[in-house]
Amino acid sequence: MVDVIQTLQDLCGTWTLIINQSSDIGRFVTLSLDISLEDGQLQIEENWGNRKWRRTLRLPINGEACTRPVKDRVFPSNIYTAISYIPGEEIVYRGAWSDTGGLEISERFEAVGSQGTYPMEISHTYRLSPTGAGLIYTAARSSRQGHEIRHTFRRKGVGEAWMMPMVNDWALDGGLPEQAGIISLQGIVNRHEPRLYLVYPPEWDFKFTPHVLDYLKEDRFMAFTELDGIDSAIEQFREDIKGYIVWDQNVRTSLIVSFTLAGLTDAIVIAEDLIPLAEKYGLALIHDFRGQFEGQLDFEIYTWAYEQYWEQCSRDYIVWMGGQHGNVMMPGVADWGIYNKAFFTDLSTRPEDTEEYDMARSLLSKQNKYSFVFGWHSYKKDKEEQHVTLTSQYALRVEGLHTLPNMSFSCQIPLTPGFTFRNNHNIQADETIVPKEKVYIACIQTDCLGIGGWTEPGRGDIPYAWEVTMNWVWLAPAMMEFFYKQATSNDYFVGALSGPGYMYPRSVPPEDLPPLIEKARELMQILDLKVFEVMEYTDGGFYTGSPDLPRSIVDAYYDGMPEAIGFVNGYTPAYTFTVRDRRPLISYDYYLSPTQTEADAAADLEELAVINRKRPYFLLMHVRNFSDIKRVQRVLNRLGPQFELVPLDTFLKMAGETPTFAERYRGDTQGG
């Protein structure tokens, strides 16, 4: 009985109807429930159509039957159907707690239709969602077999937030000033609870923001009120904003410095044209950067920012606000940096840029070991390989990109209680698969879950593997749950990339590699991942450098990840191969470029099958994220019957049992 009372107490509160997830209720449009428990009596007050019609039900929780007189004829759930109650008659109710964990109320009465009365029984059920934020109500009528009425409610005051659509204009002299202000505002107002979510346009790198929003509404029962611009956003969150910072539109780097100051002062960043708006709401000026940095080099600007702000900034997070350059900036990750009081920069990590490079080294050396570098390198100043090489030298973990959105919001939405990550494994540990005399292909998409084909047509049609950004398990737990729940039986998840975050193992200090691999192993265990991907470009040059691994580093991964069924290596083609205890490490033999024609791509694969004559031949293909699965299918459909696409874990199992590749490490005379 105690458990029943506790669960009934959990049902108590005010619940509002989610209209687009509920059966139609006609002209009433809306419905709310007020559920309370007092002195052994459960009370459910229904408010139809904003008080157009109301009724209250009271019944004992001990399962005894009770009666209530009918006061009027209204049959509210179907007002367009000629069914009515009979005023003056009685309704008999009985409440019970079901075996499935919901409240069941049976209702028996005489209904009337055009031909007379009908003895009707309705079974009402009320069941909480796993998070407790939603209530699912169903009504099964004896006169309506096989088609129940269903209403979904959210708990009033819980999971209420705001959202705002962004536009595809990130020019300094265009849409950036307002959108940078909105993103800075997001980092401030989300500091203590998730309140503002931004929906980015279809052209954005991470394409999932509208899909995750739908998930939060439908699965988490969150309510979002749309804001239509920075004016309405400031009005809504005025009490959270401590002031404003003016950046100089003639000095792009002043915006990056402004993001640092915003995190330290809870002030929004705005350009000159928005000063009247800030003054309209009585915001105080924190700093005006107009004219301050005119004619200065980035190194000089960041030196000033370092002297002013560094000591107040986080040692666990630093943000490289790189990516696009010139008249464009796409600062999607700025909310996260502001939320964490991070130092922002886009210093060059190109050794030839001596001043900026030395300063970048100095900043990274002062961060806590194994901490995070968010954002991305500047496409103008340096290369990805140079950036990750330098961060890895200090045992730091890169989490890209500069466009990574909504992390200040997503980090605060937990997993559904009881949710466990389950990958779509195709083999058993003790299973033996005998390959045929064929060319086996496995496909892995590049660049994490949220970029590329996940939201595009074709996902689920063929076996396909996806690189998982493993830190999302704590950085955006509900978002990671969203991907796992969306996965089909053909979607297989792979741990990436080189560690618990993006790094190059050859650049990591040798004493730090085992602890980092252990952190990656822990994330893999949580996420039910059995395959791990390594990428190594310390030498630079995705196409001209050596992507291969020395034996000592391969040893470290095998020793540190005993549960892994196999490893993959590279980005474009690489040449490291081995197998140990039937667990292979296989490098990519093919990179499907987005610019390669489908006919030429198929010809490339056929040529590899000619060069690699032994059968079975295991051909691992890395698919650039700009290719959706339909395109991959069209390429594979051009191949002959000797080719077979298989799931990645099946591929690795067969390759481990019947290896036909030559063992090779970095430094060997052939290949890499």
Side-chain angles (χ1 to χ4, degrees):
M1 188 66 176
V2 174
D3 291 341
V4 171
I5 292 175
Q6 180 60 56
T7 308
L8 289 173
Q9 288 174 338
D10 292 340
L11 283 173
C12 291
T14 300
W15 301 89
T16 57
L17 186 72
I18 304 175
I19 295 173
N20 63 358
Q21 297 181 42
S22 301
S23 301
D24 180 61
I25 56 175
R27 291 293 295 273
F28 283 132
V29 182
T30 63
L31 169 64
S32 65
L33 305 177
D34 281 295
I35 303 176
S36 58
L37 183 65
E38 186 175 351
D39 298 330
Q41 293 278 317
L42 178 70
Q43 176 172 297
I44 302 176
E45 182 178 329
E46 301 174 358
N47 178 2
W48 297 77
N50 290 326
R51 301 182 182 273
K52 289 179 181 177
W53 191 83
R54 302 172 70 178
R55 71 176 174 186
T56 301
L57 168 65
R58 297 181 182 87
L59 72 162
I61 63 173
N62 59 8
E64 293 181 359
C66 65
T67 61
R68 180 180 70 85
V70 177
K71 295 182 178 180
D72 61 46
R73 66 167 186 82
V74 176
F75 194 73
S77 62
N78 285 77
I79 58 174
Y80 295 148
T81 304
I83 304 172
S84 69
Y85 289 101
I86 304 174
E89 295 290 316
E90 287 191 334
I91 303 174
V92 178
Y93 292 99
R94 185 187 299 273
W97 193 251
S98 73
D99 294 337
T100 59
L103 172 66
E104 290 186 357
I105 299 175
S106 66
E107 175 186 3
R108 289 184 289 110
F109 61 98
E110 288 290 320
V112 64
S114 60
Q115 294 184 349
T117 61
Y118 174 85
M120 185 176 290
E121 183 169 348
I122 305 177
S123 176
H124 306 267
T125 64
Y126 302 80
R127 179 174 53 83
L128 284 174
S129 71
T131 63
L135 175 68
I136 295 89
Y137 162 82
T138 60
R141 298 203 291 262
S142 57
S143 56
R144 192 184 182 92
Q145 295 294 326
H147 196 92
E148 64 186 16
I149 303 297
R150 179 185 175 93
H151 297 314
T152 303
F153 298 84
R154 65 168 55 91
R155 192 185 293 274
K156 186 176 181 179
V158 176
E160 294 182 353
W162 288 260
M163 59 78 62
M164 185 183 300
M166 308 295 270
V167 298
N168 192 37
D169 181 359
W170 302 95
L172 271 69
D173 56 359
L176 178 64
E178 178 167 340
Q179 299 202 113
I182 292 167
I183 294 170
S184 69
L185 174 68
Q186 183 186 33
I188 295 165
V189 304
N190 288 343
R191 200 179 291 284
H192 302 296
E193 59 180 313
R195 301 170 72 193
L196 180 58
Y197 184 93
L198 304 180
V199 177
Y200 284 81
E203 300 84 0
W204 197 250
D205 288 330
F206 294 90
K207 300 180 182 300
F208 52 65
T209 58
H211 305 280
V212 172
L213 178 68
D214 289 341
Y215 169 76
L216 294 173
K217 291 178 179 178
E218 296 168 8
D219 194 89
R220 297 307 186 87
F221 303 94
M222 294 188 69
F224 289 86
T225 301
E226 183 170 341
L227 300 171
D228 60 6
I230 193 168
D231 192 331
S232 62
I234 294 175
E235 181 180 17
Q236 176 63 47
F237 300 113
R238 170 63 185 86
E239 296 304 313
D240 299 274
I241 307 168
K242 302 300 190 293
Y244 68 96
I245 301 159
V246 185
W247 59 280
D248 189 341
Q249 286 177 272
N250 296 314
V251 182
R252 184 181 186 275
T253 305
S254 70
L255 175 55
I256 299 176
V257 173
S258 296
F259 286 139
T260 298
L261 183 56
L264 301 178
T265 60
D266 286 350
I268 61 170
V269 301
I270 61 172
E272 184 176 49
D273 290 348
L274 292 174
I275 292 175
L277 179 63
E279 293 176 341
K280 168 186 170 182
Y281 288 102
L283 299 179
L285 174 64
I286 301 299
H287 197 102
D288 188 344
F289 286 109
R290 288 177 295 174
Q292 179 172 339
F293 300 132
E294 187 175 348
Q296 294 187 28
L297 300 173
D298 281 359
F299 168 73
E300 296 173 304
I301 297 172
Y302 288 130
T303 298
W304 180 90
Y306 173 85
E307 292 170 350
Q308 297 294 317
Y309 308 134
W310 177 260
E311 291 303 320
Q312 304 170 63
C313 291
S314 170
R315 293 295 174 271
D316 292 319
Y317 305 101
I318 189 169
V319 175
W320 243 256
M321 189 47 67
Q324 288 76 11
H325 53 86
N327 192 44
V328 174
M329 185 185 296
M330 303 175 74
V333 77
D335 71 300
W336 176 246
I338 290 168
Y339 175 86
N340 285 291
K341 301 183 178 181
F343 190 86
F344 285 74
T345 185
D346 75 338
L347 287 163
S348 172
T349 55
R350 180 174 175 264
E352 291 79 5
D353 299 331
T354 308
E355 288 183 324
E356 289 198 28
Y357 178 77
D358 287 345
M359 186 175 185
R361 290 179 59 197
S362 176
L363 298 184
L364 295 173
S365 71
K366 292 178 171 63
Q367 292 298 96
N368 293 331
K369 185 179 285 191
Y370 311 146
S371 64
F372 289 91
V373 180
F374 277 85
W376 204 232
H377 73 103
S378 168
Y379 296 149
K380 178 182 180 180
K381 294 182 176 182
D382 54 13
K383 296 180 179 180
E384 176 182 337
E385 309 93 278
Q386 294 167 327
H387 181 69
V388 180
T389 294
L390 186 60
T391 58
S392 298
Q393 288 173 3
Y394 296 96
L396 303 180
R397 303 183 264 171
V398 171
E399 283 293 330
L401 298 168
H402 57 294
T403 50
L404 182 64
N406 290 314
M407 290 300 107
S408 66
F409 185 97
S410 298
C411 71
Q412 301 181 72
I413 309 297
L415 294 173
T416 300
F419 178 80
T420 301
F421 292 100
R422 289 285 181 262
N423 205 351
N424 294 304
H425 302 293
N426 298 280
I427 58 170
Q428 301 297 322
D430 57 353
E431 184 178 358
T432 298
I433 303 176
V434 179
K436 300 176 182 178
E437 297 291 305
K438 305 189 77 168
V439 178
Y440 289 103
I441 296 177
C443 296
I444 304 176
Q445 189 197 263
T446 72
D447 297 283
C448 92
L449 285 171
I451 301 178
W454 185 271
T455 60
E456 300 297 323
R459 185 175 59 82
D461 290 350
I462 60 174
Y464 211 72
W466 305 87
E467 297 170 0
V468 174
T469 310
M470 298 191 297
N471 285 305
W472 286 358
V473 74
W474 59 267
L475 184 61
M479 189 172 80
M480 185 72 93
E481 180 180 333
F482 156 79
F483 283 111
Y484 270 70
K485 284 183 173 179
Q486 274 209 335
T488 72
S489 59
N490 270 331
D491 295 316
Y492 188 75
F493 296 128
V494 178
L497 188 59
S498 299
Y502 183 18
M503 64 185 209
Y504 294 157
R506 284 182 53 225
S507 293
V508 173
E511 67 274 15
D512 290 315
L513 186 57
L516 284 167
I517 291 175
E518 176 58 28
K519 288 180 180 293
R521 177 192 181 192
E522 292 168 0
L523 293 171
M524 289 181 68
Q525 290 174 330
I526 295 171
L527 293 167
D528 193 27
L529 305 175
K530 300 296 184 183
V531 179
F532 192 70
E533 182 170 1
V534 182
M535 177 172 159
E536 168 53 60
Y537 282 95
T538 294
D539 287 344
F542 279 102
Y543 312 105
T544 58
S546 172
D548 288 305
L549 306 173
R551 183 186 292 268
S552 60
I553 285 178
V554 173
D555 292 346
Y557 284 104
Y558 272 97
D559 292 343
M561 295 182 172
E563 299 87 1
I565 65 169
F567 302 89
V568 298
N569 174 59
Y571 190 84
T572 53
Y575 303 92
T576 304
F577 291 86
T578 189
V579 61
R580 302 180 185 182
D581 192 26
R582 295 182 293 184
R583 298 189 298 148
L585 184 152
I586 296 182
S587 291
Y588 290 109
D589 263 9
Y590 192 66
Y591 168 81
L592 181 57
S593 164
T595 59
Q596 184 77 308
T597 68
E598 293 168 12
D600 284 346
D604 291 341
L605 297 172
E606 289 170 338
E607 183 177 18
L608 284 169
V610 171
I611 293 170
N612 297 279
R613 299 182 298 277
K614 294 179 184 177
R615 298 292 180 268
Y617 165 39
F618 299 102
L619 197 170
L620 186 60
M621 182 163 72
H622 213 191
V623 181
R624 184 70 163 124
N625 57 282
F626 300 117
S627 294
D628 63 31
I629 295 175
K630 289 294 187 183
R631 179 171 187 261
V632 176
Q633 284 182 285
R634 291 193 297 270
V635 171
L636 298 179
N637 287 341
R638 290 174 174 268
L639 303 176
Q642 67 167 319
F643 292 85
E644 182 178 344
L645 177 68
V646 295
L648 179 64
D649 55 345
T650 303
F651 176 93
L652 292 171
K653 183 71 172 179
M654 290 191 295
E657 297 279 355
T658 312
T660 55
F661 44 79
E663 185 175 50
R664 192 178 303 163
Y665 300 95
R666 176 181 172 82
D668 291 349
T669 55
Q670 292 179 307

